[in-house]
Amino acid sequence: MKLFYCIIALLALISFEGCSNSEYVSIPHDETSALDSLDLKDFALLHSNGKIVILGTDESSASIKDGPAMKVSFDYDFMIGRHEVTCNEMGLDCGDLPVTDVTFFDAVLYANKRSKEEGFDTVYTYSKAVFDDDSSCIGLESLKPHWDILGYRLPTEAEWVFVTTRGWEPKESWTSANSDYLLHDVCTSYYTLDSICDMAGNAMEWVGDYLVSFTEEEWVDFVGGVRDYGPDERVVKGGSFRNAPETIKPYTRGDIYLVTASTKAEYIGFRLALGTIPHASQIGNVERETDSDVSVSVNSKKFKSLAATNKGKLVFREDKSGNLYYVDFSKNELVAKELSANVPAYHPDISPDGKWVAFCTGIEGVADGSELYVRKIDASDKSLIKLDVKSAVIPRWRVLASGDTVIVYVTSAANNKNDESFAQTSTWQVKFSKGKFGTPQKLFDGAYHGGVSDDNRLAVTGARLLRANRNGHSEIWYNGEQACNVSLNRNNNKMTLFLDFGGKTGRQFVRSNYETHKRIFFADSTGNLVRSLEAPEGYTFDHPEWVPLVDSLIVATLVNSEGAHRKLILANVYTERWVELAQGTELWHPALWLDVDERVFVPPLLDIDSAGVYYTDQMESYALDLRVKMEWFWKSHDTATAVVLGSSRVLFGINASFIHSESVLNMGFPSGDIHAISFLTLNYVLKHMPKLKFAVLEFSPDFMWDKEALFWSPVYKKSPGFKYDKTHDFWKDSIPKGFVELVEESYKPIAEQTQPYSYDEFLMPSNGWGRATVVHDTMKYELDDDDVDYNMALYKFVINSLVEKGVQVILVVPPQNPGYAKTGAFGIYAGRRSHAEELLKRAAKLNAVMMDENKMGKHDYTSSMAYNTDHLSREGAKQLSERLDSLFVDLQK
């Protein structure tokens, strides 16, 4: 509030503190005629007597603050300001803009002041006023409204909603859709039928009610409720220039964050009302609901896919009951259990060992005092350990270099906009060991409740301004724009996350407009913005927090368009992948602990759901073996000197254990035809095998009629890993740190699926050649098929690509059942023998060495060397591998 008004308010306080105006002007008993006789051009008379309005809503998507729907009737008329109180009216130098950045108490003082100036009695009495360093009123002790006195006052929520029944057009109001995120002069948007303007948008408005739960019974002359629990929360109405028009509803009662009577915001103002309320009625103490509707949304597998461990615990506030809840992800059954207490519980944080939770009774942005407690994360143990200090808010655990576990806290989490007020707060830490607190130690002047780095060289806070203590010097970040929900990652990157209110700096950074709390912003250790994370469609963020000791993960609440805190999520900042952890009616202040010693290393720039995931249980079974081979590839790509590619014939037929002259990597897998050979060679072998001397490619005539869509396309299309590699150009420049670990930890086949061979060696038992079975009609295959020409050209291209890199190519023709020599078929899947002979002649002309171990069936692989009609056993693999080993030696002579 500007100095001019502050002086007026203080003078009014000195003259009239604690009493009504002694120059009371008598008003006729007939209230309606009295209002009719008043000539107040900026006020409209509403004939509400005998009318009914509905407060709140029964919409299932709405916040619990907004329900249930409640019927209210009037037996009086009232007057209300045609517009929000302006700067001109308060003597401020901002023209006809609505006056904002005022507390509820400021509005009350102005109402009393105006009543006196115009000869009315004052509606509000109080015994003492408290002002902050900005001369804003932050407390009126023994404040009492006298509804039977005619004077200026704030409208009741019922009166305010009644006005909206006479006209409600958010789409024609000043909202985020058209305001450029700025206040506009009053009455430059739509009007109601009673010539009342700006009920929706422009400035959000204080009304006179405490925010208490509605009831299902009908009320007459409703004036709100009695404060019965928690902070001094007040009702604000109408949305502002920061809100999207579709989110501004007549029944909405709050802002995106908790609003108390001492709250100030640059978008909250007020308008005045006038008129006595003859039978004022209030809701008394309403028992809070205790039945929880919290449910865990994630299963263990999904949680681990992002958290990289199942050893984790989630604690959060369930606002409907006011209690904390927790989920232990290491349990077989994931359920949310209540941690009930007889005190308010906000801002929980979990100890480094995962056994304790600290919480406070105060909340960010509220000036009230707060107590700090610690309890075990155990529903059966309700004992609380209290820190014996005057006020402690927003606890955060950390472990010092000495090994001591401490809790960092602040003395106040109130509005930090004023430098002098902020300097009067402080940041402390206190040792906690064996269930007991030590002696608190002061760290800084200023309440840095967003977190303190492990080296104490950076501390941050929000609640209006994004302030930092950097190397002992106080700084204001984000160009002094409004920020809240600040959290510091204490790891080496010291990155700060926060929410904003659609400010100019944020809009310039993301190059677009966005709603309040729609994005989480991330600043580096010097305060420069480095990235942002957008909330899922239909939601905004609240209460985001870093997961301690993890560079990439955050937890946050998702808030729907009605302002209900419905979901808790875990998100990767870099990949922007997220999973839903829990859902309920109102879930606040999530804190997630992970056992970092048990975590798989998760590179911050890699998507754990895609990177290295070459097989999923939705894929064809023949991709199981390739998933294992890809792990082998990334583990040995930089040391192997020879690679084998092809189908299950070389998978089982060539084994590195029998080869001594070269370090061999066998990449064969079932159905690994020329299309798979081409993909793996061009994208992996040539880019990542610097010591490669030999490439052994299977040439089986039946490959020549294969289409890419037959075997290879289903593997590629269903494999997150191959597609992810492609989007990163197959990592040709460098393999990111931790990538190989992700491949190792990705989904693996179970032991039962490996029969009758082991994934450690891929060798088969000796069952014999058996019968020379032909499963296809050999007459349907022709040499002039387009597929034959295409596949032969593909072989030529792959071979030449290898040769250009100095790699010697060997085309191996694996042996099949010699019984095929007595048939018209080359093998179990191939075409005619005459066609196979021609294809082998064409292959011999390619720039490669032919190693024909089949010899049109006239080979020396005995039945004891066979597993079945076209696969070798261990004994056969030994013979083929040793012959390949000899060829490697001969080719280098």
Side-chain angles (χ1 to χ4, degrees):
M1 186 183 301
K2 298 293 180 66
L3 181 60
F4 181 88
Y5 172 63
C6 300
I7 295 172
I8 293 176
L10 286 168
L11 289 173
L13 174 65
I14 293 170
S15 299
F16 309 111
E17 180 178 307
C19 62
S20 295
N21 189 343
S22 60
E23 300 173 1
Y24 173 75
V25 177
S26 178
I27 301 296
H29 181 71
D30 185 340
E31 179 65 20
T32 300
S33 63
L35 294 178
D36 281 329
S37 67
L38 294 177
D39 183 18
L40 301 174
K41 65 177 182 178
D42 289 333
F43 279 72
L45 175 59
L46 276 295
H47 293 288
S48 53
N49 196 346
K51 304 293 179 59
I52 292 174
V53 294
I54 303 297
L55 304 188
T57 180
D58 289 326
E59 288 286 337
S60 60
S61 60
S63 168
I64 58 171
K65 294 179 180 179
D66 299 334
M70 187 175 78
K71 185 181 293 187
V72 173
S73 59
F74 298 87
D75 67 357
Y76 67 94
D77 296 335
F78 67 95
M79 301 183 78
I80 193 166
R82 296 188 187 277
H83 55 73
E84 295 147 342
V85 174
T86 67
C87 297
N88 277 334
E89 289 175 312
M90 291 186 66
L92 303 177
D93 187 21
C94 46
D96 286 329
L97 292 176
V99 65
T100 59
D101 210 25
V102 289
T103 69
F104 173 87
F105 301 120
D106 288 329
V108 165
L109 288 181
Y110 176 76
N112 272 3
K113 170 182 171 292
R114 185 158 172 176
S115 291
K116 283 198 58 60
E117 289 177 344
E118 299 185 18
F120 295 105
D121 196 3
T122 50
V123 172
Y124 301 99
T125 59
Y126 52 92
S127 61
K128 181 182 178 182
V130 180
F131 295 86
D132 64 15
D133 292 331
D134 282 329
S135 297
S136 289
C137 187
I138 57 173
L140 292 174
E141 294 183 7
S142 304
L143 175 64
K144 182 179 180 181
H146 297 271
W147 305 113
D148 58 339
I149 290 178
L150 182 62
Y152 289 108
R153 55 176 173 80
L154 292 173
T156 67
E157 182 176 9
E159 291 169 347
W160 194 97
V161 172
F162 181 79
V163 176
T164 68
T165 65
R166 305 283 293 163
W168 180 253
E169 298 293 342
K171 292 183 179 180
E172 297 180 20
S173 306
W174 293 119
T175 66
S176 63
N178 59 6
S179 69
D180 197 29
Y181 289 78
L182 297 171
L183 281 169
H184 289 256
D185 285 352
V186 298
C187 295
T188 53
S189 66
Y190 85 101
Y191 287 79
T192 70
L193 296 175
D194 306 293
S195 298
I196 300 171
C197 61
D198 295 325
M199 291 298 292
N202 216 11
M204 187 176 284
E205 300 176 19
W206 292 110
V207 294
D209 302 30
Y210 280 114
L211 198 155
V212 296
S213 300
F214 286 145
T215 68
E216 295 181 353
E217 58 189 303
E218 182 176 344
W219 293 81
V220 178
D221 294 0
F222 178 70
V223 295
V226 177
R227 179 184 178 187
D228 61 343
Y229 186 89
D232 180 14
E233 192 169 2
R234 298 281 177 163
V235 177
V236 287
K237 304 292 287 186
S240 76
F241 63 87
R242 294 181 181 274
N243 300 109
E246 61 270 17
T247 67
I248 302 175
K249 307 290 177 62
Y251 56 73
T252 302
R253 311 179 71 207
D255 190 17
I256 199 164
Y257 60 90
L258 186 144
V259 177
T260 67
S262 60
T263 295
K264 289 197 305 182
E266 61 182 13
Y267 52 87
I268 298 181
F270 66 100
R271 73 178 72 220
L272 294 179
L274 191 81
T276 62
I277 304 177
H279 305 106
S281 59
Q282 288 183 301
I283 294 176
N285 293 337
V286 177
E287 185 175 348
R288 296 175 69 89
E289 292 188 49
T290 56
D291 292 336
S292 170
D293 60 354
V294 179
S295 61
V296 180
S297 309
V298 68
N299 58 35
S300 295
K301 180 180 177 181
K302 193 73 172 178
F303 178 78
K304 186 176 182 180
S305 74
L306 193 58
T309 180
N310 281 334
K311 290 190 176 180
K313 293 180 181 179
L314 174 72
V315 177
F316 55 92
R317 173 183 167 86
E318 200 276 322
D319 197 54
K320 189 166 66 172
S321 67
N323 288 325
L324 299 181
Y325 277 72
Y326 77 98
V327 180
D328 187 342
F329 292 101
S330 68
K331 303 298 184 183
N332 292 329
E333 184 181 7
L334 299 184
V335 295
K337 296 184 178 180
E338 186 176 30
L339 294 171
S340 60
N342 294 321
V343 295
Y346 297 96
H347 299 290
D349 197 46
I350 303 172
S351 64
D353 62 4
K355 297 179 180 179
W356 303 85
V357 59
F359 64 93
C360 58
T361 61
I363 190 169
E364 179 182 350
V366 177
D368 297 347
S370 173
E371 297 172 341
L372 190 154
Y373 294 91
V374 174
R375 64 169 296 164
K376 289 183 178 179
I377 304 178
D378 181 352
S380 63
D381 187 345
K382 299 182 180 181
S383 56
L384 301 180
I385 305 166
K386 181 181 177 182
L387 177 63
D388 188 16
V389 295
K390 183 178 179 180
S391 181
V393 198
I394 309 186
R396 295 181 182 275
W397 297 84
R398 65 173 179 163
V399 178
L400 303 181
S402 63
D404 290 337
T405 298
V406 300
I407 298 174
V408 176
Y409 65 91
V410 295
T411 56
S412 173
N415 187 323
N416 68 10
K417 195 170 185 178
N418 181 274
D419 291 341
E420 294 181 8
S421 297
F422 182 69
Q424 293 171 13
T425 64
S426 51
T427 303
W428 295 70
Q429 72 180 20
V430 60
K431 181 180 176 181
F432 186 85
S433 177
K434 298 180 180 180
K436 295 182 179 180
F437 286 109
T439 302
Q441 297 177 323
K442 185 176 178 180
L443 296 178
F444 312 107
D445 287 327
Y448 292 97
H449 56 72
V452 178
S453 65
D454 286 342
D455 60 8
N456 287 349
R457 301 185 68 178
L458 180 63
V460 294
T461 187
R464 292 303 181 272
L465 295 182
L466 180 52
R467 290 180 177 269
N469 183 316
R470 192 159 67 96
N471 297 323
H473 300 286
S474 179
E475 300 177 349
I476 295 178
W477 290 354
Y478 202 53
N479 293 325
E481 295 182 31
Q482 189 168 351
C484 64
N485 285 208
V486 176
S487 177
L488 173 66
N489 189 325
R490 301 194 309 272
N491 284 1
N492 292 331
N493 65 21
K494 295 182 181 178
M495 193 174 293
T496 297
L497 68 78
F498 63 95
L499 297 176
D500 84 331
F501 293 73
K504 180 179 179 182
T505 301
R507 298 199 306 274
Q508 290 177 341
F509 181 77
V510 301
R511 298 182 180 179
S512 67
N513 293 334
Y514 55 91
E515 298 174 52
T516 297
H517 287 198
K518 183 64 178 177
R519 290 179 175 272
I520 301 174
F521 285 92
F522 301 87
D524 63 20
S525 60
T526 64
N528 293 316
L529 294 182
V530 293
R531 66 174 59 249
S532 75
L533 178 66
E534 187 174 16
E537 184 69 25
Y539 292 92
T540 55
F541 287 117
D542 211 357
H543 317 137
E545 288 284 349
W546 286 105
V547 176
L549 303 180
V550 181
D551 284 333
S552 57
L553 298 180
I554 64 168
V555 285
T557 300
L558 292 185
V559 183
N560 68 13
S561 60
E562 302 283 351
H565 296 62
R566 288 298 164 84
K567 298 180 179 182
L568 302 180
I569 65 165
L570 173 65
N572 186 303
V573 172
Y574 300 96
T575 66
E576 299 189 5
R577 177 178 168 262
W578 59 276
V579 295
E580 181 182 319
L581 301 178
Q583 58 180 310
T585 300
E586 284 287 335
L587 308 184
W588 289 21
H589 300 159
L592 181 66
W593 168 85
L594 298 177
D595 189 337
V596 294
D597 293 333
E598 294 292 329
R599 292 186 77 234
V600 177
F601 175 76
V602 183
L605 295 177
L606 294 178
D607 184 346
I608 193 173
D609 243 11
S610 298
V613 183
Y614 295 109
Y615 179 80
T616 69
D617 53 11
Q618 285 78 44
M619 295 175 66
E620 287 73 9
S621 60
Y622 57 78
L624 281 166
D625 306 85
L626 180 58
R627 176 256 175 268
V628 177
K629 292 306 183 72
M630 289 305 298
E631 181 177 334
W632 286 12
F633 175 82
W634 289 116
K635 286 181 176 180
S636 61
H637 68 95
D638 53 351
T639 59
T641 59
V643 66
V644 178
L645 297 114
S647 71
S648 54
R649 293 168 187 149
V650 297
L651 167 68
F652 301 127
I654 297 176
N655 194 278
S657 65
F658 304 123
I659 298 175
H660 306 293
S661 64
E662 302 295 335
S663 174
V664 177
L665 171 64
N666 189 332
M667 293 291 292
F669 71 99
S671 301
D673 59 14
I674 178 55
H675 302 287
I677 291 171
S678 172
F679 183 89
L680 295 172
T681 300
L682 300 177
N683 296 312
Y684 294 94
V685 171
L686 285 173
K687 292 179 179 179
H688 294 290
M689 298 189 73
K691 295 183 178 181
L692 187 66
K693 294 188 289 184
F694 297 101
V696 182
L697 311 184
E698 178 184 349
F699 187 89
S700 290
D702 51 3
F703 283 5
M704 305 312 294
W705 287 276
D706 284 352
K707 298 179 183 294
E708 187 173 11
L710 184 61
F711 296 118
W712 177 246
S713 288
V715 173
Y716 174 76
K717 290 179 180 178
K718 295 181 181 179
S719 168
F722 286 121
K723 289 188 287 187
Y724 192 74
D725 289 349
K726 182 179 180 180
T727 61
H728 292 82
D729 202 12
F730 298 95
W731 316 105
K732 69 175 184 178
D733 295 326
S734 64
I735 301 169
K737 181 181 178 182
F739 180 80
V740 178
E741 288 85 347
L742 287 183
V743 177
E744 291 179 289
E745 292 296 326
S746 66
Y747 183 83
K748 291 184 179 181
I750 59 176
E752 287 75 8
Q753 294 172 307
T754 67
Q755 303 296 334
Y757 57 92
S758 164
Y759 280 117
D760 294 328
E761 58 176 15
F762 292 98
L763 290 171
M764 294 296 229
S766 294
N767 291 338
W769 287 118
R771 184 182 173 194
T773 304
V774 179
V775 298
H776 292 160
D777 180 2
T778 60
M779 301 305 292
K780 73 177 183 178
Y781 298 111
E782 298 295 340
L783 282 176
D784 59 358
D785 281 356
D786 291 341
D787 292 328
V788 173
D789 292 337
Y790 177 84
N791 290 338
M792 186 60 74
L794 192 55
Y795 262 114
K796 182 177 181 180
F797 178 76
V798 171
I799 291 169
N800 289 343
S801 297
L802 286 162
V803 172
E804 287 176 5
K805 296 292 186 179
V807 179
Q808 175 72 66
V809 180
I810 299 170
L811 289 181
V812 63
V813 185
Q816 296 189 45
N817 193 329
Y820 288 115
K822 299 178 181 180
T823 70
F826 177 82
I828 186 172
Y829 302 116
R832 283 163 277 177
R833 294 179 64 78
S834 58
H835 290 170
E837 287 182 301
E838 173 60 25
L839 291 171
L840 289 169
K841 289 178 182 179
R842 295 180 188 180
K845 296 179 181 179
L846 298 174
N847 195 8
V849 174
M850 288 293 294
M851 184 182 178
D852 186 355
E853 292 296 293
N854 187 61
K855 297 179 175 58
M856 296 300 293
K858 299 178 180 180
H859 56 70
D860 59 352
Y861 289 86
T862 65
S863 189
S864 64
M865 295 181 181
Y867 168 68
N868 61 16
T869 196
D870 68 336
H871 293 99
L872 295 176
S873 66
R874 176 186 293 269
E875 186 179 339
K878 183 175 184 296
Q879 178 168 293
L880 175 54
S881 301
E882 288 176 344
R883 288 178 177 177
L884 180 61
D885 192 20
S886 297
L887 181 58
F888 287 153
V889 174
D890 291 343
L891 290 174
Q892 295 185 87
K893 290 181 179 178

